[in-house]
Amino acid sequence: MSTKTEPLVLGIETSCDETGVGIVRGHTLLADEIASSVDEHARFGGVVPEVASRAHFEAMVPTMQRALDKAGVTLADVDAIAVTAGPGLAGALLVGVAAAKAYALAAGKPIYGVNHLAAHVAVDTLEHGALPEPAIALLVSGGHSSLLRVDDLAGGVVPLGATIDDAAGEAFDKVARLLGLPFPGGPPIDRAAREGEASIAFPRGLTAPRDLAEHRFDFSFSGLKTAVARWVEARERAGEPVPVAQVAASFQEAVCDVLTVKAVDACREHGIETLVIGGGVAANSRIRSMAQERCDKYGITLRVPRPKLCTDNGAMVAALGSHLVAAGAEPGRLGLPSDSAMPITSVTA
Ligand code: KG4
Ligand code: ZN
């Protein structure tokens, strides 16, 4: 239940290609405004860092104004400003961090430089309330795929495993490109897969008994991507049409299978009854249904935010900021750094 006394926190996100400004009071979302430069990157098949930085610079002030208007508040009303300090694209992060410092200085507000990955977990509190701790978090985005044990969202997380090559979202983007689908590849693969059967047996990376000994909670998607490329090439060489929906469905099934099996295994191994899934790939319809089936089977409570909160946004940063304020965490210095390689173990800069 939200009350007027809960902190009003503004969050700024600029780690990749979305300029996001979110405003929350406690766990209540008041505004979530986004300006995306995705269309400017589409023809390159990936995000171009300099183009993203310039777009953040141009979008920052209008996005901030829209968020304040939507929430019906002014900067003076805000109790704290949170900003993504890392990980992400160096130039893109700098724009958000510089803007946050300017707003914090001008309005005399405390500033929190926060971890983008922890924010992908924290955003779920806007949908489902306080996160029971400990929880297992599966974080699957364009740049990261990690399994984490969250003992204390304000104090730190314990990494259990991560991808040893491509991130899950990166695999979606690369396979979409192979299939002639637009960037970013997750949404069009998700849509195409609904029309096809997952009948091609693509490999499940790091699930063989010999791999499990060393990599029980790690992921690998580059072998899967290569297997899809070979399958498609063989079709093309034979002069046969590529069944896009069937390949998309089979690829998606392989990714979701490995992610959900390992996430549920981590919950069971650690005796933890809550699984939260975050990051852009958590918007995928198949990972959501498969995770639900598997969690139900073992009595695990699954928490996945609605798709719009899974992909990058400012609300997630505000949600983590609000959690930090409520936990009594110290704000950062006005000179706080951005860190493109910020480790998941640091919640704040
Ligand atoms: O979290 P996010 O918005 O940005 C990063 O922090 O990387 O994640 C973006 C990634 C992209 O690779 C995109 O293809 C993927 O999330 N994605 C999806 C879906 N929507 C976005 N992947 C699978 N299915 C989706 N529906
Ligand atoms: Zn992200």
Side-chain angles (χ1 to χ4, degrees), residues 32-331:
D32 182 19
E33 292 299 315
I34 291 174
S36 178
S37 60
V38 67
D39 294 343
E40 294 173 56
H41 309 289
R43 70 192 168 100
F44 300 105
V47 176
V48 184
E50 283 311 311
V51 173
S53 305
R54 163 67 54 170
H56 287 308
F57 184 66
E58 287 167 1
M60 179 54 64
V61 172
T63 309
M64 171 67 72
Q65 198 51 57
R66 282 208 313 277
L68 291 168
D69 291 349
K70 181 80 193 290
V73 299
T74 66
L75 206 52
D77 300 326
V78 164
D79 294 305
I81 296 177
V83 59
T84 299
L89 302 171
L93 288 167
L94 270 180
V95 178
V97 169
K101 288 175 180 174
Y103 286 118
L105 183 65
K109 305 295 177 184
I111 183 171
Y112 291 81
V114 306
N115 190 304
H116 179 83
L117 304 175
H120 268 305
V121 177
V123 73
D124 186 65
T125 59
L126 301 179
E127 184 125 12
H128 299 113
L131 183 71
E133 290 163 342
I136 296 290
L138 171 64
L139 240 166
V140 275
S141 70
H144 296 268
S145 301
S146 299
L147 261 174
L148 313 166
R149 185 187 156 113
V150 183
D151 291 314
D152 171 11
L153 191 51
V157 298
V158 181
L160 302 178
T163 181
I164 60 166
D165 41 55
D166 293 349
E170 192 181 353
F172 270 92
D173 297 339
K174 288 178 175 170
V175 165
R177 197 165 191 190
L178 272 170
L179 295 175
L181 297 171
F183 174 85
I189 287 192
D190 198 343
R191 277 192 298 275
R194 282 177 208 152
E195 312 298 321
E197 220 187 299
S199 49
I200 309 164
F202 286 132
R204 268 70 169 157
L206 300 182
T207 55
R210 68 172 186 286
D211 294 326
L212 286 178
E214 208 188 325
H215 292 292
R216 181 162 171 192
F217 299 125
D218 290 328
F219 305 106
S220 165
F221 297 109
S222 101
L224 168 61
K225 174 196 66 193
T226 307
V228 175
R230 293 231 174 89
W231 198 95
V232 169
E233 278 158 23
R235 274 295 176 119
E236 285 168 344
R237 258 201 315 279
E240 291 170 22
V242 176
V244 171
Q246 186 194 5
V247 175
S250 306
F251 158 77
Q252 177 175 277
E253 195 73 6
V255 175
C256 298
D257 186 19
V258 178
L259 291 172
T260 56
V261 158
K262 293 201 177 206
V264 167
D265 186 28
C267 291
R268 297 184 68 213
E269 171 71 15
H270 289 259
I272 291 177
E273 288 167 3
T274 306
L275 171 65
V276 50
I277 310 185
V281 178
N284 183 268
S285 60
R286 186 61 182 132
I287 200 174
R288 299 171 80 94
S289 63
M290 206 187 260
Q292 191 64 63
E293 280 164 30
R294 290 181 172 167
C295 284
D296 287 349
K297 187 167 165 201
Y298 294 106
I300 297 164
T301 304
L302 176 66
R303 297 171 51 128
V304 198
R306 59 184 174 272
K308 190 174 177 244
L309 293 179
C310 290
T311 47
D312 289 351
N313 61 77
M316 65 194 232
V317 180
L320 180 52
S322 166
H323 184 77
L324 289 166
V325 171
E330 280 291 309

